[in-house]
Amino acid sequence: MLGNDILAALTTYTKNMANKVSLVLQTGDHEKRAELVEFLTQLCSVSNNLRLIERDDNLRSPITFYLEVDNQNSGIHFSGIPSGHEFNSLVLAILHASGTELKLDSTLSNMVKKIKEPLHFEVFISLSCHNCPDVVQSLNQFALLNPNISSEMIDGGLFQTLVSERNIQGVPSVYLNGELFANGKIDTAQLVDKLIQRFPYIVESESTETLPLQDITIIGGGPAGIASAIYGARKGLKVTLIADRIGGQVKDTVGIENLISVTKTTGAELTGNMQAHLNDYNVTLKEFLRVDKIEKSLENSNAPKKLHLSSGEVIETKTIIIATGAKWRELGVPGEKENIGSGVAYCPHCDGPFFKGKDVAVVGGGNSGIEAALDLAGMVNHVTVFEFLPELKADQVLIDKAQAHNKITIIKNVATKEVVANNGKVTALAYEDRLSGEVKQQQLSGVFVQIGLLPNSDFLNGVVERTQYGEVIIDEKCQTTESGIFAAGDVTTVPYKQIVVAMGEGAKAALSAFDYIIRES
């Protein structure tokens, strides 16, 4: 199952394991158990510090195993065969359990350690989901930090009965102590927010400044933010990067073929390359956290600003670069929010496999919508594309492919009115013919929303001027309407929301911030 190249790489990764790790597999019969045993046996063959143990520990299934260190359950469980995108989750869990340093911000680690209540997380995943590993890996680290916390990855494809019982139609879907905690399009930062809401005592009661005065503090970890951080660090400045996740929207992109000098890559690969480049520089990274408030001086616009983080920290900084990007635009119709993760989705690559053999809709006829339809057509029974305008906005090459596909129907000049659901499952999409005014219903099981992006700028109310669409207004040097605050990328008024444009704007913003610091010091 594991090729020679992978085994050789694993041998290198596990060479410096500090502690022995046992993979304890539940005994019993299951049609996939022999495959899992072979998989784990091969994995354990790369190091004397790894061993496979089969015993009855009353686990969920004969294809459930956990990591044991010093005869103690680490709290990290896997139900299924963690291959595909989840293979890295298993490897990282083994390395971290063996003593490899966790790459979590110390403030976040301390927050997790403070949790007193017993928490058991179940993360339902799809092996084709590229967002799921982030959640699995973070919760695994939380389990290693706090003995009160345990986490279990569950492959929804192998536990269909459980998926049906819990009415799961989107991943990752996270349960806490048997109750739904978060589902649909979620990330680690959102999980941290939910933990803070549930256990407010984990945040310091009094905010404290934990860093010296920074030269540049960047908010956002996408192409614009990372470019800003690298350019700022190369100038020898004190740089901090605050991000809910490294990569931003790019991480959700499957195929990238227009990044100049890189003929073809994926969002996950590009994100990994950006993070590796960032790691070459002395940049303080605050990941999985958000900025709640920016405090600026009313008397002196050139005075340092203060950023209040969701962790309770306060960072004082000479300049700020806002690079928070954008998020998926919602339809804003009845039934949408209520059914996220239960038939309404925004990522066809993640949630498409849950609709195998079913009829689904894609709302949006731009490039992302038509690409989603083509992707879904390989998994589902039929795809209907709904476009508001009289003509599709996608590139002609994509339109031609979609129109030639026998599993794709395109309906134009219609307005989505409601996502219809029954007993917690989407059953239809109501739409209006914009010419006749007639309202119709299309019977289906899933709705994938692909109608563009909205800038992540709500936290900037009263800080800088924005357009009616929420875009931060900038000049040719990325300066906002507030002295010392710059912005770059998709969150701004810069035209053409492209990766290469965002990178250039991020570099420009850092150079402008450097120039500002030189002039104002």
Side-chain angles (χ1 to χ4, degrees), residues 1-2 35-43 81-82 87 90:
M1 295 179 68
L2 299 177
E35 183 179 345
L36 177 58
V37 169
E38 180 186 357
F39 174 82
L40 296 179
T41 300
Q42 283 188 296
L43 178 61
I81 304 174
F87 183 62
L90 174 58

Side-chain angles (χ1 to χ4, degrees), residues 99-110:
T100 301
E101 183 181 1
L102 302 182
K103 293 184 178 180
L104 282 179
D105 174 71
S106 60
T107 302
L108 179 56
S109 296
N110 290 333

Side-chain angles (χ1 to χ4, degrees), residues 3-14 46:
N4 291 332
D5 290 344
I6 294 177
L7 292 173
L10 289 173
T11 301
T12 301
Y13 296 151
T14 57
V46 303

Side-chain angles (χ1 to χ4, degrees), residues 54-200:
E54 300 181 56
R55 67 173 179 234
D56 184 7
D57 266 4
N58 196 30
L59 303 181
R60 180 185 301 277
S61 162
I63 55 171
T64 297
F65 66 96
Y66 65 86
L67 306 188
E68 183 180 80
V69 182
D70 294 331
N71 297 317
Q72 296 293 320
N73 187 334
S74 67
I76 298 176
H77 297 67
F78 294 89
S79 287
I81 304 174
S83 56
H85 289 300
E86 291 300 340
F87 183 62
N88 285 343
S89 298
L90 174 58
V91 174
L92 285 172
I94 291 172
L95 296 177
H96 289 150
S98 75
T100 301
E101 183 181 1
L102 302 182
K103 293 184 178 180
L104 282 179
D105 174 71
S106 60
T107 302
L108 179 56
S109 296
N110 290 333
M111 288 166 57
V112 172
K113 290 176 182 177
K114 290 178 183 177
I115 295 175
K116 306 169 187 175
E117 293 80 358
L119 307 181
H120 176 59
F121 289 99
E122 299 167 296
V123 189
F124 288 84
I125 61 93
S126 164
L127 294 178
S128 63
C129 170
H130 52 272
N131 292 324
C132 296
D134 288 345
V135 175
V136 172
Q137 290 164 24
S138 295
L139 291 176
N140 285 347
Q141 292 183 71
F142 293 176
L144 292 173
L145 285 169
N146 190 329
N148 293 319
I149 300 175
S150 61
S151 178
E152 179 181 3
M153 181 219 81
I154 303 174
D155 180 359
L158 296 181
F159 291 86
Q160 286 294 318
T161 300
L162 187 57
V163 166
S164 297
E165 288 175 357
R166 300 198 187 183
N167 193 24
I168 296 171
Q169 291 183 294
V171 290
S173 188
V174 181
Y175 282 75
L176 173 57
N177 296 340
E179 296 182 356
L180 183 63
F181 184 68
N183 71 337
K185 187 171 173 54
I186 57 173
D187 55 35
T188 303
Q190 291 170 299
L191 295 180
V192 172
D193 283 346
K194 287 180 175 292
L195 286 175
I196 292 172
Q197 292 168 11
R198 183 168 294 202
F199 310 110

Side-chain angles (χ1 to χ4, degrees), residues 197-484:
Q197 292 168 11
R198 183 168 294 202
F199 310 110
Y201 64 80
I202 67 177
V203 178
E204 294 292 337
S205 57
E206 293 184 6
S207 299
T208 57
E209 294 177 10
T210 57
L211 291 172
L213 176 66
Q214 297 294 289
D215 294 310
I216 302 177
T217 300
I218 299 150
I219 311 172
I226 289 179
S228 293
I230 291 172
Y231 265 72
R234 286 177 63 84
K235 290 294 185 181
L237 301 176
K238 292 187 182 71
V239 179
T240 290
L241 177 69
I242 305 165
D244 54 2
R245 65 170 181 165
I246 297 299
Q249 283 291 117
V250 162
K251 201 166 187 177
D252 298 335
T253 305
V254 175
I256 300 170
E257 299 180 0
N258 58 358
L259 183 59
I260 307 306
S261 84
V262 181
T263 55
K264 189 172 184 178
T265 186
T266 67
E269 290 171 345
L270 179 57
T271 296
N273 290 338
M274 290 192 299
Q275 176 136 32
H277 197 174
L278 179 69
N279 292 342
D280 287 340
Y281 296 91
N282 186 22
V283 174
T284 300
L285 177 60
K286 297 282 185 181
E287 193 176 5
F288 309 135
L289 300 175
R290 68 172 189 278
V291 173
D292 285 337
K293 182 176 69 172
I294 296 176
E295 184 181 347
K296 57 186 182 179
S297 172
L298 298 179
E299 292 78 24
N300 180 6
S301 62
N302 292 328
K305 282 78 175 168
K306 290 185 177 181
L307 284 74
H308 296 257
L309 276 58
S310 54
S311 60
E313 297 172 271
V314 176
I315 296 176
E316 190 171 10
T317 182
K318 294 177 183 178
T319 64
I320 297 171
I321 296 176
I322 300 161
T324 45
K327 60 188 174 186
W328 294 115
R329 184 187 298 271
E330 297 177 351
L331 290 168
V333 300
E336 179 184 19
K337 283 185 176 295
E338 300 88 334
N339 293 290
I340 292 176
S342 298
V344 174
Y346 300 86
C347 178
H349 316 293
C350 303
D351 298 335
F354 284 91
F355 298 90
K356 184 178 181 180
K358 298 179 180 179
D359 294 340
V360 301
V362 171
V363 181
N367 282 347
S368 60
I370 300 303
E371 287 172 351
L374 289 167
D375 186 21
L376 288 165
M379 295 179 270
V380 304
N381 180 59
H382 195 83
V383 183
T384 303
V385 177
F386 294 86
E387 166 56 39
F388 183 80
L389 296 176
E391 298 298 332
L392 298 177
K393 299 167 290 185
D395 294 341
Q396 191 60 47
V397 63
L398 294 174
I399 294 174
D400 291 343
K401 287 183 179 179
Q403 290 178 334
H405 204 297
N406 62 2
K407 294 176 70 173
I408 297 176
T409 300
I410 299 172
I411 303 177
K412 296 177 285 188
N413 209 20
V414 293
T416 303
K417 306 300 290 185
E418 181 183 2
V419 177
V420 182
N422 185 25
N423 293 325
K425 288 189 176 183
V426 170
T427 57
L429 184 72
Y431 65 97
E432 179 183 9
D433 186 310
R434 296 180 62 217
L435 282 179
S436 67
E438 182 183 1
V439 176
K440 305 176 182 178
Q441 277 197 11
Q442 177 84 15
Q443 301 300 307
L444 42 75
S445 300
V447 177
F448 290 81
V449 182
Q450 300 281 298
I451 56 172
L453 302 171
L454 279 177
N456 293 313
S457 63
D458 289 346
F459 73 104
L460 297 171
N461 287 338
V463 179
V464 297
E465 289 187 16
R466 299 174 296 160
T467 69
Q468 60 179 324
Y469 306 108
E471 294 176 322
V472 177
I473 297 171
I474 58 172
D475 64 14
E476 69 278 3
K477 291 186 176 181
C478 297
Q479 173 70 58
T480 69
T481 52
E482 177 67 24
S483 179

